[in-house]
């Protein structure tokens, strides 16, 4: 028998995004592909923690990488991000992550399971 160890990664989120993840309306998270985030692999667990210290655990089921959020959004189902349009997503992400950082680190779309993991 072969066991493949999955890693657990912690990601801090605002309460509104925590609620979207918990409800299953947010099935994909978009992140800067810095060194820490590039360690996330399919099959790993992500523990989402909000500012109220609530926690929820989800399994990574797919990962996509691109050079910018604008390019990445053409390759994914935007509704899985919890937003309605690409424009809406870009307005939020471009406030947080500069174009220079996106190009330096690349960006990730991490699809998570709908069911909660234990």
């Amino acid at each position: 028998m072969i066991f493949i160890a999955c890693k657990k990664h912690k990601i801090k989120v605002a309460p509104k995004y925590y609620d979207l993840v918990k409800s299953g309306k947010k099935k994909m998270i978009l992140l800067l592909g810095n060194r820490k985030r590039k360690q996330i692999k399919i099959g790993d667990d992500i523990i989402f923690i909000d500012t109220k210290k609530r926690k929820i655990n989800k399994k990574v089921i797919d990962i996509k990488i691109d050079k910018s959020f604008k390019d990445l959004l053409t390759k994914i189902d935007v509704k899985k991000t919890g937003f309605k349009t690409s424009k809406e997503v870009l307005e939020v992400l471009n406030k947080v992550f500069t174009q220079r950082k996106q190009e330096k680190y690349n960006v990730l779309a991490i699809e998570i399971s709908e069911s909660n993991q234990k």
Side-chain angles (χ1 to χ4, degrees):
M1 218 194 272
I2 298 174
F3 291 98
I4 299 174
C6 73
K7 289 186 175 182
K8 292 186 183 283
H9 307 272
K10 293 180 182 177
I11 296 180
K12 293 178 184 175
V13 295
K16 71 178 182 178
Y17 298 119
Y18 175 91
D19 291 337
L20 287 170
V21 168
K22 185 174 181 180
S23 71
K25 292 177 183 172
K26 186 170 187 64
K27 300 173 184 97
M28 186 174 286
I29 56 170
L30 304 176
L31 300 167
L32 196 63
N34 61 22
R35 187 177 64 177
K36 183 178 176 183
R37 301 298 181 223
K38 284 185 179 175
Q39 293 177 12
I40 298 172
K41 305 289 182 212
I42 293 171
D44 285 357
D45 291 330
I46 295 178
I47 302 165
F48 292 92
I49 306 166
D50 75 354
T51 55
K52 298 176 184 177
K53 306 294 184 207
R54 297 181 295 172
K55 296 179 182 180
I56 190 166
N57 192 20
K58 298 284 186 170
K59 181 83 59 194
V60 175
I61 57 175
D62 194 20
I63 300 173
K64 295 195 181 345
I65 303 171
D66 216 312
K67 63 182 187 251
S68 71
F69 289 116
K70 185 177 179 180
D71 291 337
L72 185 63
L73 289 170
T74 65
K75 299 171 183 150
I76 64 169
D77 178 358
V78 174
K79 292 192 179 14
K80 287 184 178 183
T81 67
F83 291 91
K84 293 179 181 160
T85 67
S86 293
K87 181 180 176 185
E88 196 180 0
V89 177
L90 285 174
E91 284 176 6
V92 172
L93 293 174
N94 286 333
K95 287 179 186 174
V96 179
F97 306 112
T98 64
Q99 190 64 39
R100 186 171 167 220
K101 282 189 176 182
Q102 292 177 46
E103 291 169 4
K104 180 178 179 181
Y105 296 108
N106 290 329
V107 296
L108 307 172
I110 300 175
E111 190 169 354
I112 54 176
S113 61
E114 291 186 41
S115 61
N116 299 337
Q117 303 297 308
K118 298 209 177 194

